[in-house]
Amino acid sequence: EEEARSTWQKVVEKGGGTPYAQWSNEALGHLPIVLPPPRPKPPRWNFSARTGYEFDSNVLLKPDDQSLANPGSPNANRFTLGTRLDYRAFSGKTWEIDGSYEFQQTLHDDGLDEFNFTFQDFGMNARKLLRWGDRSVIAGVQYSLLPGFLDGDLFSFSQRWTVSADTRWTPRTRTLVFDRMSLSNFGPDGFRPKDTSRDGFYQDAGFIHYWYPRNFRNYVFVQEEFNSAFTRGDNFDRLGNTTRVGTHFSFGERTGLDVSGGLRFGGYPHFSSLSAGDVARRRDFEWDLNVSLTHQLTHRTAVRGFYRYMNSVNQNNFFDYTRHVGGVELVITASSA
């Protein structure tokens, strides 16, 4: 029946005005109506929670040059806790508006309570499906309110706006272009605010491009972005860029491996050292390596092991450091039916 339906449909489309098209159309009229399967209704809300334990070799970001470092051990273990809720406030044929809330908490041992960090993100995200020639583009605007606390005291308060465009240039690629803009305040400005204040406008603009194989279960990506900061304190004015490459690879149905690496450059054109022993201009070269292995235990739970290596090299030895972070976490997800 389906083969006949397909054949008659082709005759109707290609043989318009002929008796064959008329006969085929009549035959189609006698077949039972077949409705397309209904589109799955998107979940109204999505919730995730994670908790874990990790080791950090350099919580204090101590310089590699021990003669410049303050006394005391820089490493510590910490518990981590995080939750996120996304709620679909509006959904139409071409519009989606979501509200979101995210919470993160770290708890250090080894007497480093002053580095216990609390982070919150109150967000609103609007997306619209547009047509650009024969191509679909998803345009997005996101607003986030981001308070951060160190050991219960306000550390930072930021407002961030992100505009983006998401499209596919070929069937198995995806490109996301974005521009993140933040107004940030970091509390006390030090004894010389003109040099030491980090309050100001931060911007990261760039793109992420993905390549997928036929099954779409794996991918490779490259990311490039331009970074800038225009701050109240001259020492934190910054111009630079970040390059990242990475891949996701699935093993069977339940296990996935993620590997990525990045190189970040930052120049500080107005930097003036506050120390007579550190007279060089500040220019950062930072690179990192990230590896994580995630295994799905059940439909809604997963366990993840991860390792991160960070290395910062600078003209100023005060800012040279290495850091190793590794740990394991349990992830739980839930959503509306």
Side-chain angles (χ1 to χ4, degrees):
E1 180 180 291
E2 288 302 316
E3 183 177 354
R5 184 192 301 273
S6 176
T7 302
W8 288 334
Q9 187 65 48
K10 290 178 181 178
V11 173
V12 171
E13 294 170 355
K14 296 183 179 181
T18 67
Y20 303 100
Q22 181 181 348
W23 298 335
S24 296
N25 201 41
E26 291 175 355
L28 285 169
H30 292 292
L31 288 175
I33 297 175
V34 177
L35 296 176
R39 292 177 58 189
K41 185 178 179 180
R44 190 71 172 176
W45 54 267
N46 290 284
F47 174 79
S48 65
R50 60 181 179 82
T51 182
Y53 188 73
E54 59 188 46
F55 169 78
D56 189 333
S57 70
N58 194 356
V59 178
L60 308 180
L61 301 185
K62 281 192 173 184
D64 291 338
D65 188 339
Q66 295 302 310
S67 65
L68 301 173
N70 294 324
S73 173
N75 60 63
N77 300 311
R78 58 175 168 256
F79 289 99
T80 61
L81 173 68
T83 62
R84 182 180 177 89
L85 175 66
D86 292 277
Y87 180 77
R88 179 61 47 84
F90 173 81
S91 181
K93 289 185 177 180
T94 61
W95 274 96
E96 292 179 347
I97 300 178
D98 293 344
S100 64
Y101 172 72
E102 184 174 356
F103 172 86
Q104 296 180 29
Q105 177 70 57
T106 62
L107 296 171
H108 291 80
D109 64 8
D110 208 13
L112 293 178
D113 290 345
E114 65 270 28
F115 291 94
N116 291 342
F117 188 61
T118 305
F119 169 82
Q120 296 182 77
D121 180 346
F122 302 86
M124 185 66 68
N125 187 16
R127 297 178 300 279
K128 181 172 177 56
L129 178 63
L130 304 173
R131 298 295 300 179
W132 181 27
D134 60 350
R135 180 170 289 107
S136 297
V137 179
I138 300 175
V141 178
Q142 183 175 6
Y143 170 77
S144 293
L145 190 65
L146 308 165
F149 300 83
L150 274 177
D151 198 24
D153 297 323
L154 184 64
F155 169 73
S156 63
F157 187 84
S158 300
Q159 297 184 74
R160 183 176 66 202
W161 296 264
T162 304
V163 294
S164 62
D166 191 341
T167 191
R168 294 184 182 275
W169 296 99
T170 66
R172 293 207 293 270
T173 64
R174 176 190 168 206
T175 303
L176 175 66
V177 181
F178 61 88
D179 189 354
R180 293 189 300 264
M181 298 160 284
S182 301
L183 283 174
S184 299
N185 187 298
F186 290 90
D189 293 327
F191 66 97
R192 283 171 52 180
K194 184 180 182 302
D195 293 318
T196 59
S197 175
R198 289 184 291 167
D199 301 347
F201 178 75
Y202 294 77
Q203 184 173 22
D204 307 294
F207 70 89
I208 309 175
H209 186 71
Y210 298 86
W211 290 270
Y212 298 89
R214 190 179 299 274
N215 62 13
F216 282 90
R217 297 183 62 235
N218 309 316
Y219 59 81
V220 174
F221 76 88
V222 60
Q223 176 178 348
E224 184 68 34
E225 59 184 62
F226 170 76
N227 314 116
S228 62
F230 302 94
T231 59
R232 181 185 176 194
D234 290 344
N235 278 5
F236 290 96
D237 281 347
R238 182 179 181 275
L239 296 174
N241 71 288
T242 302
T243 302
R244 299 198 65 82
V245 294
T247 184
H248 170 82
F249 188 80
S250 299
F251 298 92
E253 297 295 327
R254 293 192 172 190
T255 306
L257 175 68
D258 292 272
V259 181
S260 67
L263 177 63
R264 181 181 178 93
F265 166 75
Y268 296 78
H270 305 130
F271 179 83
S272 176
S273 178
L274 304 180
S275 170
D278 180 29
V279 296
R281 289 288 183 184
R282 182 177 179 182
R283 282 201 288 270
D284 291 332
F285 293 89
E286 302 174 4
W287 68 275
D288 64 81
L289 175 67
N290 298 268
V291 180
S292 69
L293 186 67
T294 305
H295 180 70
Q296 201 77 26
L297 299 173
T298 68
H299 180 60
R300 301 206 177 275
T301 61
V303 62
R304 176 181 299 127
F306 59 88
Y307 169 75
R308 296 192 296 270
Y309 173 76
M310 290 151 277
N311 183 285
S312 177
V313 179
N314 199 280
Q315 286 180 302
N316 321 67
N317 290 342
F318 278 78
F319 303 101
D320 287 353
Y321 71 86
T322 57
R323 189 179 187 186
H324 303 265
V325 179
V328 64
E329 63 182 4
L330 177 69
V331 183
I332 302 171
T333 59
S335 62
S336 62

